[in-house]
Each structure stands twice: as C-alpha cells, then as structure tokens.
Amino acid sequence: MKAPRFAYARPASLAEALALLAEHKGDARVLAGGQSLVPMMNFRLATPKVLVDINRIAALAGIKVAKNHVRIGALTRHVEIERSADVARHLPLIASAMPHIAHPAIRNRGTFGGSCALADPAAELPACALALGASFVVAGKKGERRVAAEDFFKGLYATALKSGELLVAAEFPLAKPGYASAFGELARRHGDYAMVGVAAHGSAQGKKFSDLRVVFFGVGDRPQRAAQFERALDGQPAAAKTIDAGLQKLNADLDPRADLHGSAATKLHLAKVLAGRVLRKMEGVAA
Ligand SMILES: Cc1cc2nc3c(=O)[nH]c(=O)nc-3n(C[C@H](O)[C@H](O)[C@H](O)COP(=O)(O)OP(=O)(O)OC[C@H]3O[C@@H](n4cnc5c(N)ncnc54)[C@H](O)[C@@H]3O)c2cc1C
C-alpha cells in the first residue's frame, strides 16, 4: 500500500515550522527521519493531511557540551549519536544503547527527536533519557518550555507534546563524579525492538549503591523506573548479592502485559534476569 495524498512543506527555520503546525493544527505531522512515520503512512495507520519536513532546519541538529549538560538536537541522526566522542565520554549509557536501535540503514536516517516523540514503549532512547534525568526542550508558538523526562512520556505512543508543538532538543545533566551507568536488552534478533530492556544510572562509589535510577522498557506502556527496587538497593553494599536480594521488588514495580514476545510471567522473569545482569556490569559493583 502507499500513503493517501498529502501536502508537503519544507520550512527552513523553526519559526516557519511552528507557523505551519499552528496553521494546520491536528492535520499536520512533523516528518524527521521518516523511518517510523512513512511506514505508518504506507500502512495507513497515520493519515496526516500535511507533512512538515524539518530536515532543512540545521538549528535542530547536533550535539553540544555545555557547562552543566549535553544537549542533543531533535534532528540529530542516530548514527551521529552512535559515533560521537562527546556522547561516548559524557553519556556512556546512550553510547551503549545506540547499537541496539534498529539497523545501520535506519540509524542513518532516524533521529533522536523522532524516537522520543514517537514514544514507542520498547525504544531505547526514551528509557535512557529517563535514567539520566534529561529535560526535553519543546517549542510552540508561545515560546519554549522544558519538560522533565518523568513527565514527557505519558503512555503508549503518547507524550507531553501538544498540538502545534515541536521537540527541539533534550538536555542531559553532566554526570556527577564517580557515577556510572549500564545498559542491556533482550531482543529476538539484534536490532529488533526490545522484548525487555534496562537502562541504569547512579553511584556504586564508596562500596554502596546510591542515587540509582533503574529504568525498564518493553514491559509497560512507557519507560518505567523501578522505584521499590531502587529503594531496596539504596545505601546497601554495591555487590551482586544485594542486587539478587532486591530483584523480588520488581514484582511490585512492574506489571508487564503479555505481547507477541511472551506471557506476562515470562516478561517479568526476563526483566529480573536482565536487571541482575545489567546492575552487575555497573562500575564499582563487587562480584
Ligand atoms: C525495521 C525497524 C526497526 C526499528 N527498530 C528500532 C529499535 O530497535 N529501537 C528504536 O528505538 N527504534 C527502532 N526503530 C525506529 C527508528 O528508531 C526511528 O528512526 C524512530 O522511531 C523515529 O525516528 P524518525 O526520525 O525516523 O521519525 P519519523 O518517522 O519522521 O517520525 C516519528 C514520529 O515522531 C514525530 N516527530 C519526529 N520528529 C519530531 C519532532 N522534532 N517534534 C515533534 N514530533 C516529531 C513524527 O511526527 C512522527 O509522529 C525501528 C524502525 C524500523 C523501520
């Protein structure tokens, strides 16, 4: 199938893009890398009347290290993030997640902003944004606002973006000294969306866990922090046995639904196995 007819606009500036989105309201859809939107249109799961192609807006692309944060522009391609020395140095969690996102051809076109705005519950970047405490920079006709990752992902393919708004960037706070992160996912084939994934960030310094943010993806309708698991580990020895003892708390934190990959019980089991593996990989954790 091919997409139904649609109008196409290619603005050269953010202001122009916002004006187009305001003019066409719910009829318009932003086109970034097109790796998700175009197939959805071809399957007629999405039928926008107007596509606002943001690929010419250079100000939306790029990675910048500032005094307190790393800013990733919405239009930054996955491949650029994957190869960025700044990301490898300051955001190693994201660097380890990138090779798991789809395949090279998709990473060449797909964008950071497209992935976060789509909010697929099994996607890697939304989970990393939540684990790292990122803020999303959102622009609308009235100006810019910042939305914490906690408040950005609202549910299945749902975000805090309102009609007429555009995701401009995300800002990731620079990690405190000694903080570490670890990432892992289980997928049927490398590059597929995750059956279950874990993105973790925090401190295992001074032989104790503290300030952990453990985020699961692929097990709910959005990326999800495991609050009880985090609390069970907080202040405890940074050791494999602490992790194992805390894993039971995931029964309370997670409520996975059965999907194509397996039953709810299977997904919960996989989440526990993966969390055990991922947390053990964190720098500073004793075997
Ligand atoms: C075979 C296949 C496998 C894949 N596997 C994975 C995977 O394992 N993990 C994963 O995370 N992703 C995966 N993807 C998706 C891929 O990462 C996409 O690139 C990404 O989800 C969407 O990015 P995009 O730039 O292509 O966005 P588009 O397809 O252009 O847009 C996606 C949605 O986001 C909106 N949007 C885009 N940019 C903005 C913006 N700046 N502001 C507001 N709204 C915006 C669009 O309107 C649309 O609704 C896969 C895709 C395919 C086809």
Side-chain angles (χ1 to χ4, degrees):
M1 269 211 296
K2 284 292 158 205
R5 291 174 73 84
F6 56 87
Y8 173 83
R10 194 162 58 160
S13 68
L14 180 59
E16 216 184 304
L18 291 173
L20 282 161
L21 291 175
E23 182 188 339
H24 297 287
K25 299 207 168 63
D27 288 340
R29 199 96 175 240
V30 173
L31 175 70
Q35 298 304 295
S36 299
L37 182 55
V38 172
M40 286 193 297
M41 288 171 66
N42 286 344
F43 284 121
R44 304 200 174 197
L45 296 170
T47 52
K49 294 207 170 67
V50 184
L51 280 190
V52 178
D53 181 346
I54 58 171
N55 282 276
R56 264 201 194 163
I57 309 176
L60 290 177
I63 299 162
K64 287 194 195 86
V65 182
K67 198 165 163 232
N68 299 316
H69 64 252
V70 181
R71 181 178 166 113
I72 302 185
L75 198 58
T76 313
R77 311 275 171 207
H78 296 324
V79 64
E80 193 187 333
I81 301 173
E82 189 179 0
R83 294 181 186 167
S84 161
D86 287 332
V87 170
R89 175 158 178 231
H90 296 292
L91 305 172
L93 181 68
I94 293 191
S96 15
M98 294 315 294
H100 295 272
I101 301 179
H103 313 285
I106 291 160
R107 297 203 291 272
N108 283 340
R109 288 301 298 167
T111 64
F112 175 81
S115 181
C116 293
L118 184 68
D120 189 298
E124 291 80 0
L125 286 170
C128 291
L130 183 55
L132 295 171
S135 292
F136 288 98
V137 184
V138 171
K141 276 221 87 175
K142 289 187 189 146
E144 266 187 15
R145 63 187 181 108
R146 279 174 171 67
V147 184
E150 268 89 351
D151 304 320
F152 187 78
F153 300 104
K154 295 286 192 196
L156 196 65
Y157 300 106
T159 68
L161 283 169
K162 295 186 191 136
S163 169
E165 284 187 328
L166 197 97
L167 180 59
V168 170
E171 291 172 350
F172 294 83
L174 289 180
K176 295 181 193 154
Y179 275 49
S181 49
F183 180 91
E185 77 172 53
L186 298 170
R188 281 188 188 263
R189 294 170 306 183
H190 186 86
D192 282 0
Y193 274 107
M195 294 160 74
V196 175
V198 177
H201 184 71
S203 171
Q205 259 195 328
K207 302 197 167 154
K208 283 195 185 336
F209 284 120
S210 65
D211 211 5
L212 280 181
R213 295 170 72 95
V214 183
V215 177
F216 287 79
F217 56 103
V219 292
D221 67 353
R222 68 193 88 174
Q224 206 178 327
R225 271 183 83 174
Q228 305 223 25
F229 179 56
E230 290 171 3
R231 264 201 296 280
L233 269 57
D234 193 51
Q236 301 300 313
K241 62 177 189 239
T242 310
I243 300 166
D244 291 341
L247 288 174
Q248 284 316 312
K249 297 285 180 189
L250 293 176
N251 293 336
D253 282 324
L254 304 177
D255 185 17
R257 298 224 177 105
D259 61 17
L260 287 175
H261 299 304
S263 66
T266 302
K267 294 200 73 159
L268 183 59
H269 174 72
L270 293 177
K272 288 180 188 167
V273 171
L274 186 65
R277 287 184 195 165
V278 167
L279 270 285
R280 277 175 165 76
K281 284 197 294 193
M282 269 183 82
E283 203 180 303
V285 175

